């Protein structure tokens, strides 16, 4: 069927099996539909680049990076990190509740 976007000629990383599949990927309404023969309103040639799901950082202390959340988020998002599980105990040790509230406030609505 017809989709919004087809990403052609990509190497899809299957993080469950460890395999890499040469494929075209269909996207409709912001959702990846799967691999296959799609016709798209728009097409993008990935030229053999890798396509993989967003990565999740399972445990990090953002304050240890010496970056604020608004600086940290775009830096890691650019490299495929879609979510982080942040442990703010270090800033809490120094600033208490004020530090934790700062982390929450400055992290809201980041990429």
């Amino acid at each position: 069927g017809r989709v919004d976007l087809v990403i052609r000629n990509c190497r899809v990383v299957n993080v469950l099996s460890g395999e890499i599949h040469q494929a075209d990927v269909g996207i409709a309404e912001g959702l990846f539909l799967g691999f296959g023969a799609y016709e798209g309103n728009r097409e993008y040639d990935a030229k053999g680049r890798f396509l993989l799901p967003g990565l999740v950082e399972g445990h990090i202390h953002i304050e240890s990076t010496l970056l604020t959340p608004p600086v940290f988020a775009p830096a890691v998002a650019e490299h495929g990190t879609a979510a982080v599980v942040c442990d703010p105990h270090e800033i809490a040790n120094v600033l208490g509740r004020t530090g934790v509230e700062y982390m929450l406030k400055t992290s809201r609505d980041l990429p």
Side-chain angles (χ1 to χ4, degrees):
R2 192 153 194 89
V3 297
D4 299 328
L5 173 65
V6 178
I7 301 175
R8 299 221 182 269
N9 304 313
C10 61
R11 292 184 281 177
V12 180
V13 177
N14 183 331
V15 297
L16 299 176
S17 71
E19 297 173 292
I20 297 175
H21 309 276
Q22 184 71 34
D24 294 341
V25 175
I27 301 171
E29 297 181 23
L31 298 175
F32 286 80
L33 300 179
F35 316 138
Y38 292 99
E39 293 298 320
N41 296 328
R42 294 181 306 140
E43 295 191 2
Y44 176 80
D45 184 358
K47 299 178 182 173
R49 292 184 184 99
F50 291 96
L51 180 68
L52 65 149
L55 305 172
V56 176
E57 169 58 59
H59 180 199
I60 192 165
H61 304 271
I62 292 175
E63 59 274 41
S64 293
T65 68
L66 303 179
L67 301 174
T68 62
V71 174
F72 173 83
V76 298
E78 180 178 314
H79 296 284
T81 301
V84 299
V85 179
C86 174
D87 178 352
H89 84 80
E90 293 175 1
I91 198 166
N93 289 347
V94 176
L95 297 174
R97 182 180 179 135
T98 301
V100 174
E101 288 174 349
Y102 165 81
M103 295 297 284
L104 291 169
K105 179 182 173 190
T106 59
S107 297
R108 187 169 281 123
D109 299 322
L110 292 177

